Amino acid sequence: MKVASYIKFLFVGIFFGIVLVKSEAVSWYRIYEMFRFQSIHMYGIIGTAIGSGILFLQISKRGHIKNLEGVEIYVPKKESGLFKNILGGSIFGLGWALIGACPGPMYILLGTGVFSMVIVIIASILGTFVYGLLKEKLPH
């Protein structure tokens, strides 16, 4: 694919960023409220995302939707593992609570002028790199 064909993805990303900013989904205060169970605002946004994800996944499975290369979209079954999901979710949630942003909104916050997110983005990339180095030694 040529670089010009990726322009549409840039515009979708910009639109998504605007929606998240306007819905206050990237607001540290809203995230703080969520973790203190003081407001349903963020739970409504997350619930809507989960619901639409389930809907579109089922539509793509039943409708035999194809990707850009013309290959039918296939979602492989994931192995179950209660402990690893709870552990991984807890680590992710702790990071989210400490930073006040999950991976997507980190870039949106940087784009809105919260330049301290540069440190968070660098740390997250470094953490991903370290995980890649240690992956074979960790229990899965």
Side-chain angles (χ1 to χ4, degrees), residues 9-104:
F9 299 110
L10 176 67
F11 287 121
V12 168
I14 291 170
F15 176 75
F16 184 62
I18 291 169
V19 168
L20 287 181
V21 169
K22 293 298 184 182
S23 68
E24 296 182 354
V26 296
S27 164
W28 181 88
Y29 181 73
R30 289 291 185 186
I31 294 168
Y32 179 75
E33 279 183 329
M34 176 185 70
F35 282 111
R36 295 199 41 138
F37 301 105
Q38 295 175 333
S39 174
I40 196 167
H41 183 89
M42 288 296 290
Y43 292 111
I45 292 172
I46 293 168
T48 302
I50 291 171
S52 61
I54 290 170
L55 176 70
F56 288 118
L57 185 62
Q58 292 304 317
I59 288 171
S60 68
K61 279 182 174 180
R62 288 179 171 76
H64 304 289
I65 307 289
K66 296 181 180 177
N67 65 14
L68 294 174
E69 285 84 31
V71 179
E72 189 172 318
I73 295 174
Y74 170 73
V75 180
K77 294 274 185 194
K78 296 185 189 238
E79 61 179 76
S80 63
L82 184 63
F83 176 73
K84 68 180 180 180
N85 289 337
I86 290 173
L87 180 63
S90 297
I91 292 170
F92 182 83
L94 270 170
W96 192 9
L98 288 171
I99 300 303
C102 61

Side-chain angles (χ1 to χ4, degrees), residues 110-133:
L110 180 62
T112 61
V114 181
F115 296 112
S116 59
M117 280 293 136
V118 170
I119 298 166
V120 175
I121 291 169
I122 290 170
S124 66
I125 292 170
L126 181 64
T128 304
F129 178 72
V130 170
Y131 171 76
L133 293 175

